[in-house]
């Protein structure tokens, strides 16, 4: 019996020692894991801080690159002797030229010629001459840096009259919209007649008729379409700048016209036109 008790105590003692060793080992392992976890957390925070720093530097570099790009795009390009446009406008102009008649585009020998074609294209689109005969009723052309819109007298006046007819309302409204949309635009209205002499109680001669027609259009633009008068110029050319010989009825009709000469800041004007794309 005594031997049995001693044997049992020995087993319990051995078992107790083994469990304590495992416990200590587990505690040590747990401590090591916690230590590694702490190191991992610190490393993660360190990496996140470094990432934030790198991202901040990337954002700064991108900002500088964008700033340089914007600055470069805003740099001016000189065209000819007196025209200045920006690279932004030049890019817009190139996009517009893709829609210009290839035959017309082939005739452009310089950047200035290309710009004129692009302005004329956008002006035609803004005014929308699809319902008009562009050969007889209205013509839009570029001469140097001036946009010229020639309108036949039948579109604006009755025969031998200088009073603007109601049938002119639509085209004058479209012109006024273009003029009013850009403060830099000035407009000269030129009256032209054929070579047949005219004289009555209201009109002294062809000079008088051409000027009266110009002032009638100017008043219409000012009074009915709110065009600022300081932007308007009225002038008459009589019959001294014909576009055809005054030898037939058809040719005389071509010479009886009102020419709207738009004098824009080309850079602003083209930017305005391209905004309608």
């Amino acid at each position: 019996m005594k031997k049995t008790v001693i044997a049992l105590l020995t087993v319990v003692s051995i078992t107790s020692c083994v469990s304590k060793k495992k416990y200590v080992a587990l505690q040590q392992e747990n401590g090591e894991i916690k230590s590694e976890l702490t190191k991992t957390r610190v490393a993660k925070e360190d990496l996140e801080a470094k990432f934030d720093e790198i991202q901040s530097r990337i954002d700064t570099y991108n900002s500088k690159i964008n700033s340089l790009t914007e600055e470069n795009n805003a740099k001016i390009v000189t065209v000819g002797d007196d025209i200045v446009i920006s690279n932004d406008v030049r890019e817009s102009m190139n996009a517009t030229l893709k829609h210009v008649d290839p035959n017309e585009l082939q005739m452009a020998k310089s950047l200035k010629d290309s710009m004129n074609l692009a302005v004329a294209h956008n002006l035609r689109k803004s005014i929308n001459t699809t319902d008009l005969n562009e050969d007889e009723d209205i013509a839009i052309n570029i001469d140097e840096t001036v946009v010229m819109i020639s309108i036949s007298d039948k579109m604006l006046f009755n025969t031998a009259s200088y009073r603007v007819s109601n049938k002119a309302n639509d085209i004058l409204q479209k012109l006024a919209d273009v003029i009013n949309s850009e403060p830099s635009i000035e407009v000269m209205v030129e009256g032209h007649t054929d070579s047949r002499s005219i004289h009555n109680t209201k009109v002294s001669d062809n000079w008088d008729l051409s000027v009266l027609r110009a002032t009638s259009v100017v008043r219409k633009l000012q009074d009915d379409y709110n065009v600022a008068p300081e932007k308007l110029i009225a002038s008459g050319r009589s019959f001294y700048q014909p576009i055809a010989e005054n030898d037939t009825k058809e040719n005389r009709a071509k010479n009886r016209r009102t020419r709207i000469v738009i004098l824009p800041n080309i850079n602003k004007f083209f930017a305005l036109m391209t905004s309608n794309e």
Side-chain angles (χ1 to χ4, degrees), residues 91-100 118 121-122 270 274 277:
E91 289 179 5
S92 296
M93 180 187 73
N94 289 335
T96 298
L97 290 175
K98 295 178 181 178
H99 305 289
V100 172
H121 171 83
N122 282 306
F270 189 75
T274 55
E277 285 286 353

Side-chain angles (χ1 to χ4, degrees), residues 31-46:
E32 291 175 353
I33 292 173
K34 286 183 178 180
S35 177
E36 290 297 325
L37 181 61
T38 301
K39 290 179 181 179
T40 302
R41 186 180 296 111
V42 170
K44 177 176 176 292
E45 292 174 353
D46 185 49

Side-chain angles (χ1 to χ4, degrees), residues 190-210:
E190 289 182 352
H192 295 259
T193 71
D194 60 30
S195 62
R196 293 177 301 177
S197 298
I198 182 171
H199 178 76
N200 55 45
T201 56
K202 295 182 178 180
V203 178
S204 301
D205 54 20
N206 294 68
W207 279 112
D208 200 15
L209 178 60
S210 66

Side-chain angles (χ1 to χ4, degrees), residues 152-169 172 198 200-203 208-221 223-224 258:
S152 66
D153 73 327
K154 68 179 181 180
M155 296 292 298
L156 299 177
F157 309 99
N158 295 322
T159 303
S161 173
Y162 58 83
R163 296 186 183 279
V164 179
S165 65
N166 290 332
K167 60 187 176 183
N169 290 343
L172 291 181
I198 182 171
N200 55 45
T201 56
K202 295 182 178 180
V203 178
D208 200 15
L209 178 60
S210 66
V211 173
L212 287 171
R213 284 185 165 180
T215 54
S216 292
V217 172
V218 163
R219 288 194 185 97
K220 186 84 170 176
L221 290 171
D223 297 340
D224 293 357
T258 298

Side-chain angles (χ1 to χ4, degrees), residues 39-56:
K39 290 179 181 179
T40 302
R41 186 180 296 111
V42 170
K44 177 176 176 292
E45 292 174 353
D46 185 49
L47 287 174
E48 288 178 345
K50 288 181 178 179
F51 176 81
D52 290 341
E53 181 182 354
I54 292 172
Q55 186 62 51
S56 177

Side-chain angles (χ1 to χ4, degrees), residues 24-225:
V24 171
L26 288 173
Q27 276 192 322
Q28 183 177 353
E29 183 179 354
N30 183 54
E32 291 175 353
I33 292 173
K34 286 183 178 180
S35 177
E36 290 297 325
L37 181 61
T38 301
K39 290 179 181 179
T40 302
R41 186 180 296 111
V42 170
K44 177 176 176 292
E45 292 174 353
D46 185 49
L47 287 174
E48 288 178 345
K50 288 181 178 179
F51 176 81
D52 290 341
E53 181 182 354
I54 292 172
Q55 186 62 51
S56 177
R57 290 166 63 185
I58 291 173
D59 292 341
T60 300
Y61 290 146
N62 286 337
S63 178
K64 288 181 179 179
I65 290 171
N66 292 335
S67 177
L68 289 172
T69 301
E70 292 173 0
E71 181 181 348
N72 183 63
N73 288 340
K75 286 182 178 178
I76 61 175
V77 177
T78 302
V79 184
D81 297 327
D82 55 359
I83 307 174
V84 174
I85 63 174
S86 67
N87 281 329
D88 286 334
V89 170
R90 184 171 180 174
E91 289 179 5
S92 296
M93 180 187 73
N94 289 335
T96 298
L97 290 175
K98 295 178 181 178
H99 305 289
V100 172
D101 186 337
N103 294 326
E104 291 185 11
L105 196 57
Q106 286 181 352
M107 300 175 63
K109 304 300 181 183
S110 65
L111 177 60
K112 187 175 182 179
D113 294 337
S114 299
M115 183 181 65
N116 288 344
L117 285 174
V119 171
H121 171 83
N122 282 306
L123 184 57
R124 288 189 184 98
K125 185 178 63 178
S126 295
I127 294 180
N128 187 6
T129 61
T130 53
D131 296 332
L132 305 174
N133 185 326
E134 196 166 337
D135 291 327
E136 298 178 4
D137 297 335
I138 186 169
I140 299 174
N141 298 293
I142 300 290
D143 182 10
E144 295 297 330
T145 62
V146 174
V147 181
M148 296 184 297
I149 305 167
S150 184
I151 307 173
S152 66
D153 73 327
K154 68 179 181 180
M155 296 292 298
L156 299 177
F157 309 99
N158 295 322
T159 303
S161 173
Y162 58 83
R163 296 186 183 279
V164 179
S165 65
N166 290 332
K167 60 187 176 183
N169 290 343
D170 186 48
I171 188 65
L172 291 181
Q173 176 68 72
K174 292 175 180 177
L175 284 170
D177 290 342
V178 172
I179 297 167
N180 289 334
S181 62
E182 174 50 56
S184 70
I185 292 177
E186 291 188 346
V187 177
M188 181 165 62
V189 180
E190 289 182 352
H192 295 259
T193 71
D194 60 30
S195 62
R196 293 177 301 177
S197 298
I198 182 171
H199 178 76
N200 55 45
T201 56
K202 295 182 178 180
V203 178
S204 301
D205 54 20
N206 294 68
W207 279 112
D208 200 15
L209 178 60
S210 66
V211 173
L212 287 171
R213 284 185 165 180
T215 54
S216 292
V217 172
V218 163
R219 288 194 185 97
K220 186 84 170 176
L221 290 171
Q222 176 185 349
D223 297 340
D224 293 357
Y225 303 110

